Amino acid sequence: MANPSAAGLAEALRVASVRDLERMSGGASRETWQFDAVAADGSAQPLILRRDPPGRPSAPGMMTCEAAAARACSVAGLRVPAILVDSEAPSPWETAGYVMQRVPGETLARRILRDDEYAAARGKLAAQCGEFLRGLHAIPTSAVPGLPARDPLQQMRDTLPLVGTATPTMELAFRWLEANRPPAREPVIVHGDFRLGNLIVDADGLAAVLDWELLHIGDPVEDLGWLCTKAWRFGEALPVGGFATREELLDAYGGDVTLAELHWWEVLSSLKWSIGCMGQGAAHLGGFVRSVELAAVGRRVCEQEWDVLLLLCPDATERHRVPPAPEPVDADGLHGRPTQAELIEAVEEFLRDEVMSATSGRLSFMARVAANVVAMIGREAALGPAQTERRAAELSAAGLGSEADLAAAIGAGEFDDRPGDLHELLASGVAAKLAVANPRYLANP
């Protein structure tokens, strides 16, 4: 993967040089690079480059739309980094992208939600997020020409075959969303990914909003529902990003949004992210971007399926919250010790205890991801055979031969008259996947 050209950046910014160009961790769909732009007098300005990964372009013109939206927000007095220059491909940094101001503050959600230095900020975030979204949604859609406008359900139906096939829980979500859709609202500019991780927070609260690649024209409640999605609470209990209640957010936003309407968008958001996780795994499997991070995200589909079930059938999930214990391993078998499980554990410990501690930035982050993947492999080796046998028996008792059969039956309405049986069957299957992918997620209500 080609690094952006420091000389090209310097020329585009009309500065003497660029120094300390370094890729930042995260950013599975876009690359983020930090650097200093050095003027002729030696003064330096800290900046950020956001660009498409080489070989994986975004939709034509999308980077221009993102830059235009950020500039419109600046005019409206909303907190966004200033955009210095933007370009579609080919560009001074090879792919489509833009350079923006580097705003000081924190983006790591776990620090924002748990560190004492952000305690006062957490108390302000609900009001500041509600005010930002109200301001964004008030900007005329004509301020950002060229934005896509699609029905979210139809878009997901269209996207899904490109990245995989619907799981049974996805089919339940589609069916419920289609039957319970709230009245449409006036279309507005929607950020599309408004959540912790894409917000810079300092001691005074919201400092800037980042990551506009999912920008589009749509229903304003979509942004509110996305912020309330369980995936973006990062293990905390409060439903709005882990830092506030739904009522606090809606009060700050104003208008007539109801909790029932917000609930619909939360279900849609969990379904959307389940397809997004599947898509990131597909990008790795298809060779578009070979990445252990994308591969790991592909296994997080079951987390979002569980979130859908928590919203639609919480009683069934409660009965399947405790993961099964692994079968004992025969240490006296053909291969002796260390056993397969002990070898997997040793590799995981090496990645966590040695590689992570000896590295920093993106390499340390990727070592953590790799360690999580190795631990997942170990759990699947221990639990997988018994899970497969048990699941086959469950499906057979329901007159089904596979997960694909179950998904098709749900889509055809064959379980409409016995939702309790369906919810039990779905909760059991998703809980089994979570016991391998991320058993801690089962314990987080």
Side-chain angles (χ1 to χ4, degrees):
M1 186 174 292
N3 291 347
S5 165
L9 280 167
E11 181 179 359
L13 294 166
R14 299 181 180 178
V15 295
S17 64
V18 160
R19 71 185 183 200
D20 299 331
L21 180 63
E22 178 184 11
R23 186 175 176 188
M24 301 174 71
S25 61
S29 60
R30 292 272 173 82
E31 292 182 2
T32 302
W33 297 77
Q34 63 180 358
F35 64 94
D36 289 338
V38 183
D41 63 3
S43 61
Q45 181 181 15
L47 299 175
I48 294 290
L49 166 67
R50 289 272 291 170
R51 72 166 189 169
D52 287 337
R56 194 179 174 200
S58 58
M62 196 59 208
M63 283 292 192
T64 299
C65 288
E66 292 179 38
R71 291 177 176 125
C73 285
S74 293
V75 171
L78 302 177
R79 298 181 176 97
V80 293
I83 303 294
L84 277 67
V85 61
D86 64 279
S87 176
E88 293 294 319
S91 73
W93 39 84
E94 288 83 40
T95 67
Y98 53 84
V99 176
M100 63 184 180
Q101 169 194 18
R102 195 191 313 172
V103 177
E106 183 58 75
T107 58
L108 290 178
R110 296 190 185 279
R111 291 180 184 171
I112 294 168
L113 292 172
R114 298 170 189 177
D115 287 4
D116 290 342
E117 65 181 293
Y118 299 108
R122 290 192 290 272
K124 302 175 183 178
L125 274 177
Q128 292 170 335
C129 287
E131 291 165 2
F132 183 97
L133 289 175
R134 183 175 69 244
L136 171 64
H137 298 158
I139 295 172
T141 56
S142 59
V144 189
L147 281 180
R150 305 184 187 93
D151 175 77
L153 273 179
Q154 189 58 52
Q155 182 183 7
M156 287 190 286
R157 280 291 194 191
D158 293 342
T159 300
L160 188 53
L162 303 177
V163 299
T165 57
T167 68
T169 300
M170 289 178 184
E171 284 293 355
L172 171 69
F174 274 120
R175 200 162 179 81
W176 184 90
L177 288 164
E178 288 162 353
N180 294 277
R181 187 193 292 260
R185 290 180 175 270
E186 186 70 23
V188 301
I189 297 173
V190 173
H191 181 280
D193 201 9
F194 190 90
R195 60 175 177 84
L196 285 187
N198 293 336
L199 310 179
I200 298 178
V201 175
D202 60 21
D204 294 320
L206 182 63
V209 176
L210 306 172
D211 294 5
W212 294 77
E213 60 257 41
L214 299 182
L215 186 71
H216 63 279
I217 302 297
D219 191 303
V221 190
E222 181 178 347
D223 274 334
L224 298 169
W226 190 249
L227 181 58
C228 295
T229 306
K230 183 171 175 285
W232 313 129
R233 299 174 199 167
F234 298 92
E236 298 298 316
L238 288 171
V240 180
F243 57 81
T245 66
R246 296 179 179 90
E247 291 81 359
E248 288 172 319
L249 177 65
L250 294 183
D251 285 347
Y253 183 76
D256 59 349
V257 179
T258 66
L259 289 173
E261 186 178 8
L262 187 64
H263 175 80
W264 189 90
W265 284 100
E266 287 185 47
V267 175
L268 182 137
S269 296
S270 290
L271 173 61
K272 176 182 175 180
W273 184 224
S274 71
I275 297 171
C277 291
M278 187 178 285
Q280 295 202 17
H284 166 79
L285 294 172
F288 298 106
V289 180
R290 295 292 292 179
S291 163
V292 68
E293 181 184 9
L294 294 180
V297 173
R299 276 294 186 102
R300 295 185 62 184
V301 172
C302 58
E303 294 180 13
Q304 318 323 314
E305 293 180 289
W306 189 251
D307 293 349
V308 167
L309 298 179
L310 286 171
L311 289 165
L312 297 183
C313 50
D315 291 344
T317 63
E318 191 59 38
R319 289 188 287 273
H320 294 273
R321 190 174 291 283
V322 179
E327 297 292 326
V329 177
D330 181 12
D332 298 322
L334 172 64
H335 300 288
R337 297 187 68 182
T339 63
Q340 179 190 55
E342 289 166 336
L343 288 171
I344 291 171
E345 184 181 39
V347 176
E348 181 194 357
E349 289 174 352
F350 166 71
L351 290 166
R352 291 192 191 279
D353 300 340
E354 297 188 45
V355 178
M356 282 181 59
S357 62
T359 56
S360 61
R362 179 170 176 77
L363 185 56
S364 179
F365 170 78
M366 296 303 287
R368 181 189 300 275
V369 171
N372 290 340
V373 169
V374 170
M376 190 189 311
I377 294 168
R379 290 190 293 269
E380 185 166 351
L383 297 172
Q387 285 182 330
T388 299
E389 183 178 348
R390 184 168 53 251
R391 187 58 175 172
E394 290 175 345
L395 292 171
S396 178
L400 301 163
S402 66
E403 299 294 328
D405 290 345
L406 176 56
I410 296 169
E414 295 177 16
F415 281 90
D416 286 358
D417 60 346
R418 45 193 177 118
D421 292 344
L422 174 61
H423 296 166
E424 201 71 23
L425 195 56
L426 291 176
S428 177
V430 176
K433 291 190 285 186
L434 270 175
V436 167
N438 185 1
R440 289 179 297 180
Y441 211 81
L442 287 168
N444 188 5

